[in-house]
Amino acid sequence: MRVRKLTLAAMALAAGLSLTACQNDDGTDQSAAPPASSASTPSSSNGGSGSAGSDQEGGTDSAGKAPNGTGGTGGTGGAAEDGKAAKCRTDELEITAIDATVGGDTEGTVAVDLKNGGGRDCTLAGYAGVDLKTNAGSLSAKRTGEQAPAVVLADGETVTFGITYPINDSGGSGVRITALVVTPPNETESVTLDWPGAATLPVTDGSGTPVRVGPMGSAGQGG
């Protein structure tokens, strides 16, 4: 009877030890598994910081080089604009007028010379203002509408434009011209000259001026 009790006790002890061993194995497996997230998180954070830092530095380099280079080119363009010859002022020009009518022409022509005496290059662009003083009042010439490119005059050079007007062959006294007033392009100061053409214009019906003015260079070069 005692032997059976000992045997049962031994079996109970063995069963207990076996159960404990099973629990220890499960616990050991769970505790031995390393947390994957805690190992990868520091690596991702470091990589992200490094990437952000590189992008910022690259952006700074790009901003520091490309735009400044472009800006330099723009600056050069500005210098070229500043290097252009300034407009010719009235007080720098020697203005004269001559009769340039050719025999047989149906219209009279006056050639006006503008000579640069300002000691520097200057630019004339467009049309001069032309007014005729007459015994009937002032008469403004109308532009011919031809293209008017800019003309750069070196010191001492001359450019010429033409004035055309109808010849008075009516047999009447017509309108008597007393003076020619010339205003260089883009200027407000005028020069008054003797009129070198025919003394009179035919009387018109008042529908418009019969006098026309051409752009710079429209009548060849004067002397």
Side-chain angles (χ1 to χ4, degrees), residues 104-131:
D105 285 354
T106 58
E107 289 185 312
T109 302
V110 167
V112 180
D113 291 346
L114 295 88
K115 182 177 180 179
N116 179 12
R120 64 181 179 91
D121 292 357
C122 65
T123 302
L124 288 169
Y127 288 76
V130 170
D131 296 282

Side-chain angles (χ1 to χ4, degrees), residues 61-81:
D61 290 342
S62 299
K65 294 177 182 178
N68 288 345
T70 304
T73 303
T76 303
E81 289 290 329

Side-chain angles (χ1 to χ4, degrees), residues 126-153:
Y127 288 76
V130 170
D131 296 282
L132 301 184
K133 290 185 177 181
T134 76
N135 61 337
S138 182
L139 181 66
S140 296
K142 184 178 180 180
R143 297 176 179 181
T144 61
E146 299 171 69
Q147 289 188 346
V151 177
V152 178
L153 286 181

